[in-house]
């Protein structure tokens, strides 16, 4: 919230001066990328022009069911301006229908129960709508000094122009935010989907250590004086408990959505952790896993959970491609040098599955491209590789595929190393 001193009257001045101010205002808000900061700047700009002393900025929220106060100016304004206003509040309805500035000072003697009444109810003297594509996306409420008198009509024009410019900037920021949210949702859905695929393996994996713990508890009362038994078995049990703990932690870390966080990581360790996820499933399906991890691999700045998501997608695709026959999944890591001399880490995921027909090779990274049209359960979304591609690009890396139909497929991921 901003607390500003009462403003001096700012004359609109000549047309060129107005244009200059409008351009400067538009440029300023256009450079801000944070919605709240835009709200604060728009509020202060409009308030300066309208000689408002106190005010609030409201933005459409929750699928347009209400408007939320995003910025306020003047500490006592918040008392009369509530944190949210419903979409069917009389003031919001007025602004939505008429899409024009409501100004009490332009009609100081208008009927108290007339169209300006909602303004009075909120102790405001002016409401400025921000309209984009015919929709009210935000509005500003201001209370100006009663002594400031009749408004200059040029001010109204100027305020409308400022509000339009602000609406354009906000609209593009809101679209960007929506896009970001749907991408996040897509990634999360994809992540949970791969988790669902490997969950069966986890249940199985936990069952073995649980059996050994149960056995120990059953035998312990009779064997409590057998020191060797107690010492050896309790070590086994402890290892099993650690194993269960690690599995649970892996699942939790993977399933939980976290803001992307880049940390310095050992790619070999991430590869091993992902192979650990699919190990049981692979054993059940007679798929041999070969792991060739380069010694002294340089470290990489990456988001651990996202890169895990990429690798799991590739591993699960390979297992699908191998199907019910036996086959091999080989994962290699290497340090490579690009022609420009930069050091990269390469992850190679090779399988002996059905391969990809040449016609499909260019399309496998397209969103929703899938050849998996089985039952509802085994239906592919075609998002796995699209998301993998996006994540690798976000890491300033690249991902490629080579395949021979009927023989197998290799995916290569390159990530810039820390040197
Ligand atoms: N290792 C592979 N071998 C053969 N075909 C592959 C391989 N990896 C991907 N593909 C092909 O690329 C398509 C797209 O893969 P992607 O991971 O994006 O989606 P999907 O696996 O079909 O669906 P989902 O990931 O939701 O299960 C697959 O349907 C398959 O035809
Ligand atoms: Mg897939």
């Amino acid at each position: 919230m901003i607390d500003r001193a009462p403003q001096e009257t700012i004359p609109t001045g000549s047309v060129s001066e107005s244009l200059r101010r409008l351009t400067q205002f538009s440029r300023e808000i256009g450079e801000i990328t944070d919605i709240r900061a835009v709200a604060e700047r728009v509020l202060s700009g409009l308030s300066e022009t309208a000689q408002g002393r106190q005010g609030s900025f409201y933005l459409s929220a929750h699928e347009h069911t209400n408007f939320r106060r995003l910025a306020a100016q003047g500490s006592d304004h918040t008392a009369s301006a509530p944190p949210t206003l419903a979409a069917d509040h009389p003031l919001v309805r007025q602004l939505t229908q008429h899409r024009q500035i409501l100004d009490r000072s332009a009609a100081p003697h208008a009927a108290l129960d007339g169209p300006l009444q909602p303004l009075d109810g909120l102790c405001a003297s002016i409401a400025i709508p921000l309209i984009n594509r015919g929709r009210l996306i935000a509005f500003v409420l201001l209370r100006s000094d009663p002594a400031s008198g009749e408004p200059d009509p040029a001010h109204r024009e100027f305020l409308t122009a400022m509000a339009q410019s602000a609406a354009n900037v906000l609209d593009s920021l809101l679209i960007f935010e929506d896009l970001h949210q749907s991408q996040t949702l897509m990634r999360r859905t994809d992540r949970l989907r791969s988790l669902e695929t490997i969950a069966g393996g986890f249940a199985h994996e936990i069952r073995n250590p649980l059996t050994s713990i149960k056995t120990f508890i059953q035998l312990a009362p009779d064997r409590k004086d057998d020191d060797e038994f107690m010492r050896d078995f309790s070590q086994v049990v402890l290892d099993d408990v650690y194993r269960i703990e690690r599995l649970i932690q892996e699942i939790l870390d993977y399933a939980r959505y976290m803001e992307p966080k880049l940390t310095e990581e050992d790619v070999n360790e991430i590869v091993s952790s992902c192979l650990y996820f699919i190990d049981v499933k692979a054993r059940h399906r007679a798929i041999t896993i070969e792991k060739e991890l380069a010694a002294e691999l340089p470290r990489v700045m990456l988001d651990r959970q996202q890169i895990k998501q990429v690798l799991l997608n590739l591993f699960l695709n390979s297992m699908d491609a191998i199907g019910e026959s036996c086959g091999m999944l080989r994962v290699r890591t290497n340090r490579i040098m690009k022609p420009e001399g930069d050091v990269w880490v390469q992850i190679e995921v090779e399988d002996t599955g059905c391969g990809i027909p040449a016609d499909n090779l260019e399309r496998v990274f397209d969103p929703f491209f899938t050849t998996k049209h089985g039952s509802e359960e085994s239906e592919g979304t075609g998002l796995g590789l699209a998301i993998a591609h996006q994540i690798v690009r976000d890491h300033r890396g690249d991902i490629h595929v080579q395949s021979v139909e009927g023989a197998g497929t290799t995916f290569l991921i390159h990530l810039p190393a820390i040197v």
Side-chain angles (χ1 to χ4, degrees):
M1 279 185 200
I2 340 159
D3 245 317
R4 294 173 72 95
Q7 295 295 325
E8 286 291 313
T9 300
I10 298 182
T12 316
S14 66
V15 174
S16 62
E17 168 61 8
S18 303
L19 213 59
R20 189 194 61 76
R21 280 182 51 208
L22 185 61
T23 313
Q24 190 190 342
F25 173 75
S26 307
R27 193 172 294 147
E28 262 182 60
I29 55 173
E31 277 169 11
I32 309 175
T33 51
D34 174 63
I35 291 186
R36 192 175 291 273
V38 170
E40 286 177 354
R41 181 64 192 93
V42 169
L43 176 60
S44 68
L46 289 175
S47 149
E48 240 169 70
T49 306
Q51 302 152 41
R53 295 188 44 193
Q54 295 160 352
S56 301
F57 181 105
Y58 286 87
L59 180 69
S60 166
H62 297 115
E63 306 289 325
H64 318 300
T65 54
N66 65 31
F67 283 77
R68 195 161 49 91
R69 192 179 63 215
L70 211 60
Q73 173 179 310
S75 43
D76 48 347
H77 191 248
T78 44
S80 49
T84 55
L85 282 173
D88 61 357
H89 184 279
L91 177 82
V92 179
R93 283 217 309 267
Q94 279 277 336
L95 293 174
T96 307
Q97 275 169 20
H98 301 293
R99 301 182 202 162
Q100 278 178 1
I101 294 177
L102 292 178
D103 190 352
R104 166 54 79 192
S105 59
H109 308 301
L112 283 179
D113 57 352
L116 297 177
Q117 193 271 335
L119 271 184
D120 303 334
L122 293 165
C123 297
S125 48
I126 182 162
I128 306 164
L130 273 64
I131 309 280
N132 200 288
R133 288 176 276 154
R135 194 167 60 79
L136 179 72
I137 57 169
F139 60 88
V140 167
L141 283 186
L142 295 172
R143 190 196 301 179
S144 53
D145 214 327
S148 50
E150 287 275 317
D152 172 355
H155 267 131
R156 194 185 164 97
E157 295 285 314
F158 192 66
L159 284 174
T160 309
M162 286 175 88
Q164 191 53 60
S165 164
N168 294 344
V169 167
L170 270 177
D171 191 53
S172 46
L173 281 182
L174 289 171
I175 290 176
F176 182 76
E177 203 173 65
D178 270 0
L179 191 72
H180 183 70
Q181 269 172 10
S182 14
Q183 276 182 353
T184 307
L185 201 68
M186 250 167 60
R187 286 186 186 190
R188 183 163 164 72
T189 312
D190 174 68
R191 183 179 294 193
L192 292 179
R193 193 177 146 74
S194 38
L195 192 59
E196 187 189 320
T197 319
I198 45 192
F202 270 92
H204 188 272
E205 202 62 10
I206 283 174
R207 208 169 296 143
N208 287 347
L210 275 183
T211 308
S212 91
I213 295 168
K214 200 164 145 194
T215 311
F216 176 70
I217 293 170
Q218 284 165 342
L219 294 179
D222 293 336
R223 307 280 296 270
K224 62 181 185 304
D225 300 325
D226 180 344
D227 286 348
E228 198 182 336
F229 168 85
M230 290 303 280
R231 192 185 55 240
D232 293 351
F233 220 143
S234 46
Q235 189 53 50
V236 171
V237 164
L238 198 61
D239 288 346
D240 283 338
V241 170
Y242 287 148
R243 186 165 167 67
I244 293 175
E245 262 179 11
R246 181 177 160 197
L247 282 164
I248 291 173
Q249 199 51 50
E250 292 266 7
I251 300 178
L252 288 179
D253 285 352
Y254 187 69
R256 187 183 304 134
Y257 173 73
M258 283 168 285
E259 279 300 315
K261 197 171 77 194
L262 295 184
T263 42
E264 199 181 311
E265 297 285 348
D266 173 4
V267 168
N268 285 344
E269 197 259 312
I270 295 179
V271 167
S272 300
S273 152
C274 289
L275 288 175
Y276 188 69
F277 264 55
I278 59 153
D279 189 47
V280 178
K281 200 173 154 76
R283 266 187 275 139
H284 276 287
R285 302 259 299 270
I287 297 174
T288 321
I289 295 182
E290 288 186 13
K291 189 166 81 167
E292 295 174 17
L293 306 181
E296 294 178 26
L297 198 63
R299 293 167 84 81
V300 176
M301 282 304 282
L302 53 80
D303 180 287
R304 225 183 128 72
Q305 299 308 327
Q306 287 189 355
I307 296 299
K308 271 192 184 177
Q309 183 170 359
V310 171
L311 293 177
L312 279 171
N313 267 317
L314 297 188
F315 297 169
L316 293 174
N317 278 348
S318 289
M319 298 219 285
D320 286 345
I322 293 169
E324 295 309 316
S325 49
C326 19
M328 187 262 311
L329 165 65
R330 178 183 292 136
V331 188
R332 290 196 187 100
T333 57
N334 272 309
R335 172 190 198 276
I336 60 162
M337 186 98 85
K338 291 246 172 169
E340 317 82 63
D342 299 333
V343 177
W344 293 66
V345 166
Q346 173 175 280
I347 310 169
E348 191 178 340
V349 179
E350 181 189 350
D351 66 58
T352 56
C354 59
I356 304 172
D359 285 353
N360 289 349
L361 215 49
E362 295 226 321
R363 301 167 63 200
V364 292
F365 293 108
D366 291 352
F368 307 112
F369 174 79
T370 180
T371 54
K372 297 172 193 168
H373 304 290
S375 63
E376 204 171 295
E377 258 171 48
S378 59
E379 185 87 10
T381 62
L383 283 177
L385 286 179
I387 288 169
H389 186 262
Q390 206 176 63
I391 292 176
V392 172
R393 292 296 298 267
D394 286 352
H395 283 78
R396 294 185 298 114
D398 52 64
I399 175 166
H400 302 280
V401 57
Q402 300 157 355
S403 187
V404 177
E405 198 175 355
T409 304
T410 303
F411 279 88
L412 291 171
I413 298 176
H414 296 142
L415 296 169
I418 303 171
V419 277

